Amino acid sequence: MTTPLRGLLDRDVVAATAGVGLFAEALRDQAVPVTETEWAPPMAGTEADLATVMADRRRVEANALAFARMTAAEAKLVDVRPAAQALSLERGTFLHAGPPLEWARASGPMRGALIGAVLLEGLADTPEQAEEQLAAGHYTLEPCHHRDAVGPMAGVVSPSMWMYELRDDVHDNTSWCSLNEGLGKVLRYGAYGPEVIDRLHWMTRVLGPLLQQSVRASGPFDIKSIIAQMLQMGDEGHNRNRAGSLMLLRELLPGLITADAPSADIAEVVRFSGANEHFFLNLGMPACKLATLAAHNIPGCTIVTTMARNGTDFGIRVSGAGEEWFVGPANTPEGLFLGSFGPEDANPDIGDSAITETGGIGGFAMAAAPAIVKFVGGDVPFALEATQRMYGITEGEHTAYTVPILEFRGTPTGIDVTKVVRTGILPQINTGMAGAVAGVGQVGAGLVTPPVQCFPAALASLARRAEL
Amino acid sequence: MTTSDLTHVELRRGTYYDSVTLMQVSQRVARADGVAAAQVAMATELNVEVLRGMGFPVPDEAAPNDLVIAVRAESAAGSAGIEAGLAAVDEALTATRSTTSGGAGGFGSAPPPRTVGAAVRTGAASIAVISVPGQHAVTETYDAIAAGVSVMLFSDNVSVADEIALKDAAAAADVLVMGPDCGTAMVGGVALGFANVVRGGGIGLVAASGTGAQQVMCLLDVAGLGVSHCLGVGGRDLKAAVGGRSTRQALTALAADPDTSHVLVVSKPPDEAVLTAMRAYAGELGLDVAWAILGEGRDDLTTSVEGFLRGLGHEVPSWPSAVAPDPAPDLPRGGSLRGLFCGGTLADEAMFLAAAELGAIRSNIAHENDLLLGPALTDAGHLVIDFGDDGMTQGRAHPMIDPSLRMERIAAEALDPTCGVLLLDLVLGYGSHPDPAEDLAHAIASAQATAREAGRSLPVVVSLTGTDGDPQNATRTMSKLHAAGASVFVSNRDATRHALSSLRSHS
């Protein structure tokens, strides 16, 4: 027999309070255990929308379902193919990071990357000509996310670029991401000089096909399992990917060594991949994309399924609000700078890589990667605190991704719009910083948050769609 | 920030304190050396109005989530007074943080929970007590329900539509929403909100009235009977719109509770059809339920409790009281009753009892529209004012915590020649002011002295809801008020009757 009110009258009172402090004191005076909420009013003007969305009768179950799907989603690397095949990307169409963007509003690094991609495709002979064509609207620009793909930093994808292809058989989803070019002057940071284009050609001619041979020979590779392991080895999966990159190389090596290719090419692929600390980023991102894709489009669900930046705007999408983007001007990250670069050299936030935080790693798993503070700034207590703060705005704790120093607590997963608006706590994102001028490349790395207005806007849309 | 020589006004963003805490901070700052006036408050519309009324230039960009710090120095002190005031602000604010938050800092320690759902999960709580401002209360309550716990919802200014939706969501989750505007509850001997320390026993209460439930529990305590649980349901639960949603759940729970042998339902005037339905439901549960229901033509709470005791074959005690002599027997008196209450149900009960004898009584909680008091709350005739009503608590703490409005009114009545007797309530117990007798005794004595100087006698009657187990101790409180010149009664009925007899003996 079940007692009514979940046994309220049978058990010792243990209280949680929100509001006037003296009620908590009165309970403590009676030796009742009390947990006080450090309550503050929600973001200004959101009271009515909050009350409506909280009352949506689908919300609780929808969010639980979204969380269950996010954490159950698989991520298997099944193939490596050119974007023309994998995404049916037409010649003349270029994918980019973040929410939709037109050339006129594109930032320096985004313009640089698009110029480079036009050159790579052989559509123009000079950067100037490429820029003219882009400005004249000769080409179609489209967010990677609209094709279930993700791209770091500028995230520019053109038809001849090779893509990792990842599968989630549980939810029958596929996602894609380009191959990582390494650090320094690279296309994703807006560089388009000859050495950048030469490297991209080599990646198309040598790296892509060899990775394909390896994956087809000894894959599929379980990327989700690598993420779970790398978090226990000091990576957070966004700005620190060292362990993940080495584990990925370990998976790829047998297939590379036995590939049908000149040994000099194989050696160069191994050297290139092994030297790149962020080699794994382009697999962690589509893995997180698969997780959030599984949670997307659940009616009544208030969980964020996309956070992405195009260097001008920051945009989010929410499971229960369909394909609508909620955007605001991208913030400029704060952090540490390479060489003689300084804050004035940095471009506003850019890249689809915030999909890692959306999926419960990256800045949300910062406590697992205390060494990251030497790269992005802050100190170790901050790293520990950042992850714990994110529990306040997420639906649950990841079942596969855990943080040893927090007693193997699961990473905070599933950003809930209502919790962000109620607490004013913004998602913590670890990120690289691109130079503001096209062609400069990376200038640093640091910490950033979304612009605050994305969340009340998403909440208002959820309120319009609410079923009471 | 604006600072003139003597006045300093400053906005702080991103920081929030509840109104009770800020009231204490303001008092502390106002006492600092060289400070003439000080107010530290969230910049709600009402508070900004108050601040401007005090002559502080609050900037237009002030928003409700901003903290305003306003300090005026004594002219002799000058800028040193402002500095002292600001130092006192920082000291007082720091002191509140260190006691209220679970202690931030340390090596990567977890931040405190920021939503009630997180607090429930962090502490594995069985119940949530929510007292955030009304416009935010619905959100927090849904969160607590989703976290699987019952809610004591102290907040007022929650709409009926929201109340119904919350209670339906709670019933679906098999938890109880006690409220909104629920001041009193007791679960397993633990007082939630405003509640008195009473003996344990077999009587389960369902209360659509906060101070009504406190009155009943205190009377039962005097009679030697104890309470198992007191489940608040909110003052509107037995109205037609809400339809007894929480009462139904509370009766079901008490019927299944082995510690509860009898059930007493305490309510403000209910809807008749809902009351009939609840009686029928209690019958279905096979539950022995007594009803202490206020309303026209019904018994008052004391009489209902007396009937309940007789029904149990229990002796009806004499309710404690201390009667004071006429403060100035040779002087004339005004002819009007002035009831100044903090407890809504106590005010309501006094009004019903007095109306039977005096006829029309004007009130801010009158049941007939033509008897409703205007915003000035003044009239030459008989008045009963409930200082705890929704309309009086927007942007400020309940008068059981912050008695300043009523104190001002007591002083004003002393000067009003039409005031013939002051009828006051004082509710002790958890949640209430820790030592209310001191200030009230002082107010009573000075009101009587003021009236005497003006050539009038002003009898004061206090309805004292409390027990000797309360932190403030009812017997000691009674002596203190009696010594100050008031007649004091533990039964609100008896207090009201005594006030009426004072009016009669005069006419």
Side-chain angles (χ1 to χ4, degrees):
Chain A
M1 181 190 132
T2 58
T3 51
L5 305 181
R6 303 193 185 200
L8 175 70
L9 305 185
D10 296 340
R11 49 180 295 200
D12 287 339
V13 171
V14 177
T17 65
V20 182
L22 68 85
F23 288 134
E25 279 165 39
L27 286 162
R28 284 201 192 94
D29 288 346
Q30 301 174 73
V32 171
V34 180
T35 306
E36 271 185 271
T37 308
E38 193 172 292
W39 187 87
M43 290 176 181
T46 58
E47 297 85 354
D49 286 339
L50 264 179
T52 304
V53 173
M54 293 298 282
D56 190 326
R57 56 186 172 76
R58 305 165 302 178
R59 179 183 59 91
V60 172
E61 279 178 26
N63 286 356
L65 177 64
F67 176 77
R69 287 191 186 165
M70 265 174 98
T71 50
E74 291 180 345
K76 300 267 170 61
L77 173 60
V78 294
D79 204 357
V80 184
R81 297 195 281 162
Q85 289 174 28
L87 297 167
S88 310
L89 195 60
E90 318 78 43
R91 193 171 162 81
T93 296
F94 295 90
L95 303 185
H96 62 80
L101 180 73
E102 60 281 9
W103 173 263
R105 296 179 64 243
S107 64
M110 180 61 79
R111 289 185 175 198
L114 287 165
I115 290 167
V118 171
L119 293 173
L120 175 70
E121 296 299 320
L123 294 165
D125 298 326
T126 65
E128 293 74 21
Q129 192 190 359
E131 186 167 350
E132 274 170 33
Q133 292 170 350
L134 283 157
H138 287 194
Y139 306 120
T140 304
L141 305 183
E142 195 184 324
C144 292
H145 273 290
H146 289 189
R147 301 212 185 194
D148 295 346
V150 280
M153 301 312 286
V156 169
V157 176
S158 62
S160 66
M161 291 182 190
W162 284 59
M163 309 290 284
Y164 292 116
E165 185 166 306
L166 277 72
R167 280 286 299 164
D168 167 18
D169 286 333
V170 175
H171 304 99
D172 194 21
N173 286 320
T174 309
S175 73
W176 293 271
C177 186
S178 51
L179 312 182
N180 196 289
E181 310 160 74
L183 283 172
K185 292 208 167 190
V186 287
L187 187 81
R188 71 177 187 280
Y189 281 97
Y192 55 81
E195 75 274 33
V196 176
I197 306 303
D198 287 351
R199 188 189 307 111
L200 288 169
H201 279 301
W202 174 80
M203 288 169 71
T204 300
R205 203 180 64 248
V206 178
L207 179 65
L210 266 172
L211 290 174
Q212 182 186 63
Q213 284 199 52
S214 171
V215 171
R216 288 184 177 178
S218 39
F221 301 128
D222 187 347
I223 301 303
K224 186 180 184 180
S225 154
I226 293 180
I227 295 174
Q229 292 175 69
M230 70 195 272
L231 292 185
Q232 317 233 331
M233 299 165 76
D235 284 352
E236 41 73 279
H238 187 168
N239 248 332
R240 191 175 165 88
N241 290 286
R242 294 180 181 208
S245 296
L246 291 173
M247 280 188 283
L248 176 64
L249 192 57
R250 184 185 65 184
E251 299 282 358
L252 288 166
L253 272 175
L256 287 173
I257 291 166
T258 55
D260 178 17
S263 60
D265 283 352
I266 293 171
E268 181 55 16
V269 164
V270 172
R271 191 206 59 76
F272 177 82
S273 304
N276 181 358
E277 292 167 3
H278 288 294
F279 182 46
F280 184 79
L281 174 65
N282 298 40
L283 288 137
M285 284 173 58
C288 289
K289 177 64 185 172
L290 285 173
T292 58
L293 202 53
H296 194 56
N297 264 329
I298 300 174
C301 179
T302 63
I303 305 285
V304 175
T305 48
T306 309
M307 293 197 294
R309 314 87 101 197
N310 59 32
T312 304
D313 301 319
F314 192 118
I316 68 169
R317 291 190 299 181
V318 179
S319 175
E323 305 314 309
E324 200 177 345
W325 286 92
F326 307 98
V327 300
N331 293 326
T332 301
E334 289 176 20
L336 304 177
F337 291 88
L338 304 173
S340 60
F341 292 116
E344 65 285 352
D345 299 313
N347 196 71
D349 201 11
I350 186 167
D352 286 334
S353 54
I355 196 69
T356 54
E357 282 82 9
T358 320
I361 60 171
F364 284 44
M366 213 168 159
I372 191 94
V373 301
K374 291 287 176 197
F375 189 49
V376 297
D379 53 22
V380 172
F382 172 82
L384 296 180
E385 195 269 339
T387 291
Q388 295 181 86
R389 191 157 26 94
M390 293 303 107
Y391 289 114
I393 58 168
T394 43
E395 170 71 13
E397 300 177 10
H398 206 288
T399 46
Y401 305 154
T402 63
V403 183
I405 201 165
L406 299 180
E407 293 285 7
F408 296 92
R409 214 176 155 182
T411 61
T413 302
I415 301 162
D416 183 340
V417 169
T418 65
K419 290 180 179 171
V420 173
V421 171
R422 286 169 68 198
T423 62
I425 297 172
L426 293 168
Q428 176 68 58
I429 297 166
N430 293 348
T431 193
M433 277 189 263
V437 176
V440 168
Q442 183 172 16
V443 298
L447 306 167
V448 74
T449 57
V452 75
Q453 58 263 51
C454 299
F455 296 91
L459 183 76
S461 176
L462 291 167
R464 283 193 295 275
R465 300 160 189 263
E467 276 184 21
L468 302 177
Chain B
M1 191 189 307
T2 53
T3 310
S4 69
D5 286 353
L6 294 175
T7 303
H8 172 93
V9 176
E10 168 185 353
L11 291 184
R12 289 191 192 171
R13 297 245 145 103
T15 179
Y16 175 83
Y17 298 86
D18 69 73
S19 57
V20 178
T21 298
L22 290 177
M23 202 180 68
Q24 290 160 346
V25 168
S26 297
Q27 282 167 358
R28 212 164 138 177
V29 176
R31 284 198 302 268
D33 282 344
V35 173
Q39 193 75 20
V40 182
M42 299 310 293
T44 60
E45 214 173 306
L46 181 100
N47 286 337
V48 168
E49 204 177 298
V50 168
L51 281 157
R52 287 184 177 147
M54 292 170 76
F56 287 114
V58 181
D60 289 338
E61 72 262 24
N65 293 358
D66 297 338
L67 179 70
V68 193
I69 293 167
V71 179
R72 179 174 301 118
E74 288 168 350
S75 47
S79 62
I82 289 176
E83 275 166 38
L86 292 179
V89 169
D90 289 336
E91 199 180 307
L93 290 179
T94 309
T96 63
R97 275 294 186 237
S98 62
T99 57
T100 55
S101 68
F107 191 81
S109 59
R114 296 286 307 277
T115 57
V116 76
V120 167
R121 285 183 285 272
T122 302
S126 60
I127 193 162
V129 180
I130 296 174
S131 59
V132 301
Q135 69 270 32
H136 309 297
V138 174
T139 291
E140 296 300 322
T141 305
Y142 276 117
D143 196 21
I145 292 168
V149 297
S150 293
V151 178
M152 149 101 179
L153 180 54
F154 178 81
S155 312
D156 55 10
N157 292 302
V158 172
S159 75
V160 173
D162 282 334
E163 176 174 350
I164 291 169
L166 283 172
K167 287 182 170 178
D168 286 344
D174 194 22
V175 295
L176 182 67
V177 170
M178 299 192 262
D181 200 10
C182 175
T184 301
M186 198 181 87
V187 175
V190 171
L192 302 163
F194 298 109
N196 304 92
V197 179
V198 297
R199 66 190 84 217
I203 299 169
L205 263 61
V206 178
S209 147
T211 48
Q214 287 188 270
Q215 166 85 147
V216 167
M217 286 202 281
C218 289
L219 294 177
L220 290 172
D221 193 65
V222 169
L225 289 182
V227 172
S228 58
H229 310 280
C230 171
L231 301 178
V233 293
R236 297 184 300 219
D237 195 65
L238 294 174
K239 301 289 186 195
V242 186
R245 281 171 158 80
S246 285
T247 301
R248 196 175 281 272
Q249 284 181 277
L251 289 172
T252 310
L254 289 173
D257 177 40
D259 295 335
T260 302
S261 53
H262 295 84
V263 172
L264 187 55
V265 178
V266 185
S267 177
K268 297 183 192 188
D271 177 79
E272 288 302 328
V274 174
L275 184 58
T276 306
M278 290 304 115
R279 286 183 196 276
Y281 185 64
E284 282 170 37
L285 292 170
L287 200 58
D288 181 13
V289 176
W291 307 81
I293 305 283
L294 278 185
E296 191 99 41
R298 291 186 200 280
D299 284 341
D300 58 78
L301 297 178
T302 305
T303 306
S304 293
V305 169
E306 288 169 352
F308 176 68
L309 292 173
R310 285 192 199 96
L312 294 178
H314 197 91
E315 195 190 333
V316 176
S318 65
W319 307 117
S321 64
V323 177
D326 188 326
D330 305 333
L331 296 179
R333 294 184 206 159
S336 295
L337 170 74
R338 296 292 151 80
L340 309 180
F341 283 82
C342 301
T345 304
L346 299 176
D348 226 8
E349 183 177 51
M351 228 171 8
F352 279 118
L353 287 165
E357 179 163 331
L358 302 177
I361 293 178
R362 294 186 173 275
S363 173
N364 62 327
I365 55 165
H367 296 281
E368 292 158 50
N369 280 337
D370 53 342
L371 294 178
L372 272 179
L373 276 174
L377 300 176
T378 52
D379 192 89
H382 305 298
L383 296 182
V384 169
I385 299 172
D386 173 13
F387 285 88
D389 184 54
D390 271 19
M392 310 274 288
T393 56
Q394 286 194 31
R396 65 163 66 239
H398 193 277
M400 276 154 70
I401 302 167
D402 173 11
S404 55
L405 271 187
R406 187 172 76 153
M407 289 298 194
E408 288 166 22
R409 184 59 183 251
I410 291 172
E413 292 292 342
L415 292 166
D416 182 348
T418 64
C419 173
V421 60
L422 268 181
L423 174 58
L424 311 171
D425 66 347
L426 181 61
V427 181
L428 306 181
Y430 285 116
S432 294
H433 194 291
D435 183 19
E438 191 72 39
D439 287 351
L440 190 61
H442 181 73
I444 289 167
S446 56
Q448 291 187 329
T450 305
R452 200 179 300 117
E453 280 165 34
R456 289 161 49 230
S457 171
L458 179 57
V460 178
V461 184
V462 177
S463 160
L464 176 68
T465 295
T467 69
D468 284 348
D470 285 336
Q472 304 93 339
N473 190 292
T475 301
R476 276 208 307 274
T477 303
M478 184 178 276
S479 328
K480 221 178 247 182
L481 298 177
H482 183 246
S487 298
V488 188
F489 298 83
V490 164
S491 155
N492 189 54
R493 173 197 69 185
D494 293 352
T496 309
R497 283 182 180 167
H498 188 78
L500 293 171
S501 77
S502 300
L503 280 184
R504 267 199 307 271
S505 67
H506 163 66
S507 58

Coordinates of all heavy atoms in Angstrom, one line a residue, chain B residues 92-123:
Chain B
A92 N 26.6 45.1 7.2 CA 25.3 44.4 7.4 C 25.0 43.4 6.3 O 24.5 42.2 6.6 CB 24.1 45.4 7.5
L93 N 25.3 43.8 5.1 CA 25.1 42.8 4.0 C 26.0 41.6 4.0 O 25.5 40.5 3.8 CB 25.3 43.5 2.6 CG 24.2 44.6 2.2 CD1 24.5 45.2 0.9 CD2 22.8 44.0 2.2
T94 N 27.2 41.8 4.4 CA 28.1 40.7 4.6 C 27.6 39.8 5.6 O 27.7 38.6 5.5 CB 29.5 41.2 4.9 OG1 29.9 42.3 4.0 CG2 30.6 40.1 4.9
A95 N 27.2 40.3 6.7 CA 26.7 39.5 7.8 C 25.5 38.6 7.4 O 25.5 37.5 7.7 CB 26.3 40.4 9.0
T96 N 24.6 39.2 6.6 CA 23.5 38.4 6.1 C 23.9 37.2 5.2 O 23.5 36.1 5.3 CB 22.4 39.2 5.4 OG1 23.0 39.7 4.2 CG2 21.9 40.3 6.2
R97 N 24.9 37.5 4.3 CA 25.4 36.5 3.4 C 26.0 35.3 4.2 O 25.8 34.2 3.9 CB 26.4 37.1 2.4 CG 25.8 37.7 1.2 CD 25.1 36.7 0.3 NE 24.6 37.3 -0.9 CZ 23.3 37.3 -1.3 NH1 22.4 36.8 -0.6 NH2 23.0 37.9 -2.5
S98 N 26.8 35.6 5.2 CA 27.5 34.6 5.8 C 26.6 33.6 6.6 O 26.9 32.5 6.8 CB 28.6 35.1 6.7 OG 28.0 35.9 7.8
T99 N 25.4 34.1 7.0 CA 24.5 33.2 7.7 C 23.6 32.5 6.8 O 23.1 31.4 7.0 CB 23.7 33.9 8.8 OG1 23.0 35.0 8.1 CG2 24.6 34.5 9.9
T100 N 23.2 33.2 5.6 CA 22.2 32.6 4.8 C 22.7 31.6 3.8 O 22.1 30.6 3.5 CB 21.4 33.7 4.1 OG1 22.3 34.5 3.3 CG2 20.6 34.5 5.0
S101 N 23.9 31.9 3.1 CA 24.3 31.0 2.1 C 25.2 29.9 2.7 O 25.9 30.2 3.7 CB 25.0 31.7 1.0 OG 26.2 32.3 1.5
G102 N 25.2 28.8 2.1 CA 25.9 27.6 2.6 C 27.4 27.7 2.7 O 28.0 26.8 3.0
G103 N 27.9 28.9 2.5 CA 29.4 29.1 2.6 C 30.1 28.8 1.3 O 30.5 27.7 1.0
A104 N 30.2 29.9 0.5 CA 31.0 29.7 -0.7 C 32.5 29.7 -0.4 O 32.9 29.8 0.8 CB 30.6 30.8 -1.7
G105 N 33.3 29.7 -1.4 CA 34.8 29.8 -1.2 C 35.3 28.4 -0.9 O 34.6 27.4 -1.1
G106 N 36.6 28.3 -0.6 CA 37.2 27.1 -0.4 C 37.7 26.5 -1.8 O 37.5 27.2 -2.8
F107 N 38.3 25.4 -1.8 CA 38.9 24.9 -3.1 C 37.8 24.2 -3.9 O 37.4 23.0 -3.7 CB 40.0 23.9 -2.7 CG 40.8 23.5 -3.9 CD1 41.8 24.3 -4.4 CD2 40.5 22.3 -4.6 CE1 42.5 24.0 -5.5 CE2 41.3 21.9 -5.7 CZ 42.2 22.8 -6.2
G108 N 37.2 25.0 -4.8 CA 36.3 24.5 -5.8 C 35.0 23.9 -5.1 O 34.4 23.0 -5.6
S109 N 34.6 24.5 -4.0 CA 33.4 24.0 -3.3 C 32.2 24.3 -4.2 O 32.1 25.2 -5.0 CB 33.2 24.7 -2.0 OG 33.1 26.1 -2.1
A110 N 31.1 23.5 -4.0 CA 29.9 23.6 -4.8 C 29.2 24.8 -4.5 O 29.0 25.2 -3.4 CB 29.0 22.3 -4.6
P111 N 28.7 25.5 -5.5 CA 27.9 26.7 -5.3 C 26.6 26.3 -4.7 O 26.1 25.2 -4.9 CB 27.8 27.4 -6.6 CG 28.0 26.3 -7.6 CD 28.9 25.3 -7.0
P112 N 25.9 27.2 -3.9 CA 24.6 26.9 -3.3 C 23.6 26.7 -4.4 O 23.7 27.3 -5.5 CB 24.3 28.1 -2.4 CG 25.2 29.2 -2.9 CD 26.4 28.6 -3.5
P113 N 22.5 26.0 -4.1 CA 21.5 25.8 -5.1 C 20.8 27.1 -5.4 O 20.6 27.9 -4.5 CB 20.5 24.8 -4.5 CG 20.8 24.8 -3.0 CD 22.2 25.2 -2.9
R114 N 20.4 27.3 -6.7 CA 19.8 28.6 -7.1 C 18.4 28.5 -7.4 O 17.7 29.5 -7.7 CB 20.6 29.1 -8.3 CG 22.1 29.5 -8.0 CD 22.2 30.8 -7.2 NE 21.4 31.8 -7.8 CZ 21.9 32.5 -8.8 NH1 23.2 32.4 -9.2 NH2 21.2 33.5 -9.4
T115 N 17.9 27.2 -7.5 CA 16.4 27.0 -7.8 C 15.9 26.1 -6.7 O 16.7 25.3 -6.1 CB 16.2 26.4 -9.2 OG1 16.9 25.1 -9.2 CG2 16.6 27.3 -10.3
V116 N 14.6 26.1 -6.4 CA 14.1 25.3 -5.3 C 14.2 23.8 -5.7 O 14.5 23.0 -4.8 CB 12.7 25.8 -4.9 CG1 11.7 25.3 -5.9 CG2 12.4 25.3 -3.5
G117 N 14.1 23.5 -7.0 CA 14.3 22.1 -7.4 C 15.6 21.6 -7.0 O 15.8 20.5 -6.6
A118 N 16.6 22.4 -7.3 CA 18.0 22.0 -7.0 C 18.2 21.9 -5.5 O 18.9 21.0 -5.0 CB 19.0 23.1 -7.6
A119 N 17.6 22.8 -4.7 CA 17.7 22.7 -3.3 C 17.1 21.4 -2.8 O 17.6 20.7 -1.8 CB 17.1 23.9 -2.6
V120 N 15.9 21.0 -3.3 CA 15.2 19.8 -2.9 C 16.2 18.6 -3.2 O 16.3 17.7 -2.4 CB 13.9 19.6 -3.7 CG1 13.4 18.2 -3.5 CG2 12.9 20.6 -3.2
R121 N 16.8 18.6 -4.4 CA 17.6 17.5 -4.7 C 18.9 17.4 -3.9 O 19.3 16.4 -3.4 CB 18.0 17.5 -6.2 CG 16.8 17.0 -7.1 CD 17.1 17.0 -8.6 NE 17.2 18.3 -9.1 CZ 16.1 19.0 -9.6 NH1 15.0 18.3 -9.7 NH2 16.2 20.2 -10.1
T122 N 19.5 18.6 -3.7 CA 20.7 18.7 -2.9 C 20.5 18.2 -1.5 O 21.3 17.4 -1.0 CB 21.2 20.2 -2.8 OG1 21.4 20.7 -4.1 CG2 22.5 20.3 -2.0
G123 N 19.4 18.6 -0.9 CA 19.2 18.2 0.5 C 18.3 17.0 0.7 O 17.9 16.6 1.8

